[in-house]
Amino acid sequence: MRFLLDDEQREFARSLDALLTAADTPAVVRGWAAGDHGPGLTLWRRLADAGVFALAVPEAYGGIGPLPVETAVAFVELGRHGVPGPLVESVAAGVLLGGVGGPAAKEWLPRIASGTAVVSLTLEGCGPYALDADVADAVLTVTGDELRLTRGAGGATGPGAATGPGGSTGRPAPTGPGAPRVSVDPARRLFRPEPGGEVVAAGPGVREAARAGGTWATFATAAQALGCGEALLRATVAYVKQRTQFGVPVGSFQAVKHRLADTLLGLEFARPLLYGAAVELADGAPGAGAAVAAAKVAAGEAGYAAARTALQLHGAVGYTEELDLAWWLRRARPLRDAWGTPSACRARVLAG
């Protein structure tokens, strides 16, 4: 049995890395946090052109999925480059709508796959907040056996819309997103959707589709956390090679080497769990949910440990606004807890 990515999957990762490097994602993240969504939405459309959002959308609706392994490849790169926006939520919404079917799926899935719609999502039992609801063309909410959809005014234009003054999209947010909640990461704006919205599906099938969507959200977040941890480790290794103390690089100190080695081990142990979960999802295995939860625990904890290592070895300069590293430091903790806290995921592993 082969446990390595094939040539096509590795080339996919390299192409996304090149795309995101050229896009200057640190500047995109800064703009997104400041309310300038234009560059981020332009990047969103380019990611869609690369096939990222089609990976979880069934072929019948214009996608190429579901392809869990390729999704893991993509979201590791998205996490490593710190791309902002409801990326996980849009992919999970694709799985949810694909499971529900009906008119809502026919309307929204082709737009999710093509990147012409940004969708955020809340699921019962997975937290009350919708990420970046103020930018979304639609917010999906599942409560009990009902799937509700709140439309935004951006549906006619999508992520390619012209930006208004200050770089904003000029599109009103979906009706009733509420006020944003302060987040550790300023580029993650959390909204509590208000009651209401159009009921687009109801019945027991909604619960099953929501469960699948939630599993994919946990899975994609785990991949993001792994990528974030990789970025933090690489930046820290580069820094300790350059910074000197007592006339030698601090990276030559044994205590620093041990700390970096521990961080690397955590990330490398999380990686096979992530791709193992991808295989379980692809095969439709009964234990896929538990495998995803295990990957989320390992990747989330490893990414957060990488952030703590990065902050300690960079010193005070690590959390200054002028250093791009600060954005990754702020993201590691939210990614650890989003779509499944460590305790909730460990409980799911035990139950599985």
Side-chain angles (χ1 to χ4, degrees):
M1 182 177 291
R2 182 179 176 85
F3 290 98
L4 299 175
L5 298 176
D6 60 31
D7 292 340
E8 187 175 347
Q9 290 161 343
R10 287 195 292 269
E11 180 57 34
F12 181 44
R14 285 192 290 267
S15 66
L16 286 178
D17 179 42
L19 185 159
L20 294 170
T21 299
D24 188 14
T25 50
V28 173
V29 175
R30 290 178 184 275
W32 193 274
D36 180 2
H37 299 125
L41 293 175
T42 298
L43 179 57
W44 185 285
R45 187 58 180 267
R46 295 183 64 191
L47 290 170
D49 291 342
V52 170
F53 301 113
L55 294 171
V57 174
E59 292 184 15
Y61 297 99
I64 56 175
L67 295 174
V69 175
E70 286 74 9
T71 299
V73 170
F75 274 81
V76 168
E77 292 300 321
L78 295 174
R80 193 160 67 82
H81 286 273
V83 180
L87 303 156
V88 166
E89 289 71 16
S90 285
V91 167
V95 174
L96 169 61
L97 290 171
V100 169
K106 292 179 180 179
E107 178 183 359
W108 288 96
L109 284 178
R111 296 177 59 195
I112 291 174
S114 64
T116 56
V118 177
V119 178
S120 194
L121 173 71
T122 63
L123 298 177
E124 199 169 40
C126 296
Y129 300 105
L131 181 65
D132 295 316
D134 57 333
V135 187
D137 296 273
V139 175
L140 299 175
T141 303
V142 174
T143 305
D145 290 340
E146 285 190 343
L147 170 60
R148 293 179 177 269
L149 185 147
T150 303
R151 298 174 183 267
T157 51
T163 57
S168 66
T169 62
R171 303 182 300 167
T175 304
R181 179 178 182 269
V182 176
S183 172
V184 174
D185 179 359
R188 290 176 60 87
R189 292 167 57 81
L190 305 175
F191 294 82
R192 185 189 291 272
E194 296 179 0
E198 172 189 1
V199 177
V200 296
V206 171
R207 283 185 181 270
E208 186 61 31
R211 189 176 298 112
T215 297
W216 272 72
T218 303
F219 171 67
T221 304
Q224 275 191 317
L226 179 61
C228 181
E230 287 182 351
L232 286 161
L233 179 59
R234 291 182 186 183
T236 306
V237 169
Y239 181 74
V240 299
K241 287 180 178 179
Q242 296 173 356
R243 182 175 176 192
T244 60
Q245 191 172 9
F246 309 118
V248 296
V250 297
S252 65
F253 300 159
Q254 189 176 47
V256 172
K257 290 180 179 180
H258 286 180
R259 187 66 186 266
L260 292 172
D262 288 344
T263 302
L264 177 62
L265 283 174
L267 294 169
E268 290 305 315
F269 271 100
R271 191 184 313 280
L273 288 176
L274 175 69
Y275 286 107
V279 173
E280 296 260 1
L281 281 175
D283 293 342
V292 168
K296 178 61 165 56
V297 170
E301 295 283 24
Y304 183 50
R308 296 179 64 182
T309 296
L311 183 58
Q312 180 180 14
L313 297 185
H314 276 81
V317 72
Y319 54 81
T320 59
E321 290 288 347
E322 291 76 18
L323 194 68
D324 290 337
L325 183 79
W327 297 98
W328 278 257
L329 288 172
R330 290 169 169 175
R331 183 155 299 182
R333 177 65 180 268
L335 287 178
R336 188 194 73 167
D337 295 339
W339 293 104
T341 62
S343 59
C345 287
R346 288 190 177 95
R348 189 171 184 183
V349 172
L350 292 173

mmCIF file of all heavy atoms in Angstrom, residues 130 148 310 322-323:
data_model
loop_
_atom_site.group_PDB
_atom_site.id
_atom_site.type_symbol
_atom_site.label_atom_id
_atom_site.label_comp_id
_atom_site.label_asym_id
_atom_site.label_seq_id
_atom_site.Cartn_x
_atom_site.Cartn_y
_atom_site.Cartn_z
ATOM 1 N N ALA A 130 -20.589 32.392 13.021
ATOM 2 C CA ALA A 130 -20.303 32.243 11.597
ATOM 3 C C ALA A 130 -19.103 33.109 11.260
ATOM 4 O O ALA A 130 -19.110 34.321 11.506
ATOM 5 C CB ALA A 130 -21.510 32.643 10.753
ATOM 6 N N ARG A 148 -31.372 26.500 7.288
ATOM 7 C CA ARG A 148 -31.795 27.845 6.915
ATOM 8 C C ARG A 148 -30.670 28.567 6.186
ATOM 9 O O ARG A 148 -29.498 28.369 6.491
ATOM 10 C CB ARG A 148 -32.233 28.647 8.147
ATOM 11 C CG ARG A 148 -33.501 28.117 8.808
ATOM 12 C CD ARG A 148 -33.899 28.925 10.032
ATOM 13 N NE ARG A 148 -35.138 28.448 10.604
ATOM 14 C CZ ARG A 148 -36.343 28.906 10.270
ATOM 15 N NH1 ARG A 148 -36.442 29.893 9.385
ATOM 16 N NH2 ARG A 148 -37.426 28.424 10.826
ATOM 17 N N ALA A 310 7.729 29.499 18.672
ATOM 18 C CA ALA A 310 8.099 30.665 17.864
ATOM 19 C C ALA A 310 8.157 31.927 18.712
ATOM 20 O O ALA A 310 9.096 32.733 18.586
ATOM 21 C CB ALA A 310 7.094 30.847 16.721
ATOM 22 N N GLU A 322 4.687 44.858 13.408
ATOM 23 C CA GLU A 322 5.503 45.027 12.209
ATOM 24 C C GLU A 322 5.960 43.697 11.627
ATOM 25 O O GLU A 322 6.266 43.604 10.432
ATOM 26 C CB GLU A 322 6.737 45.892 12.528
ATOM 27 C CG GLU A 322 6.428 47.353 12.822
ATOM 28 C CD GLU A 322 5.838 47.556 14.206
ATOM 29 O OE1 GLU A 322 5.973 46.649 15.052
ATOM 30 O OE2 GLU A 322 5.224 48.619 14.444
ATOM 31 N N LEU A 323 6.010 42.652 12.430
ATOM 32 C CA LEU A 323 6.487 41.352 11.972
ATOM 33 C C LEU A 323 5.301 40.507 11.517
ATOM 34 O O LEU A 323 4.338 40.319 12.252
ATOM 35 C CB LEU A 323 7.236 40.636 13.102
ATOM 36 C CG LEU A 323 8.076 39.427 12.697
ATOM 37 C CD1 LEU A 323 9.258 39.850 11.848
ATOM 38 C CD2 LEU A 323 8.569 38.686 13.944
#
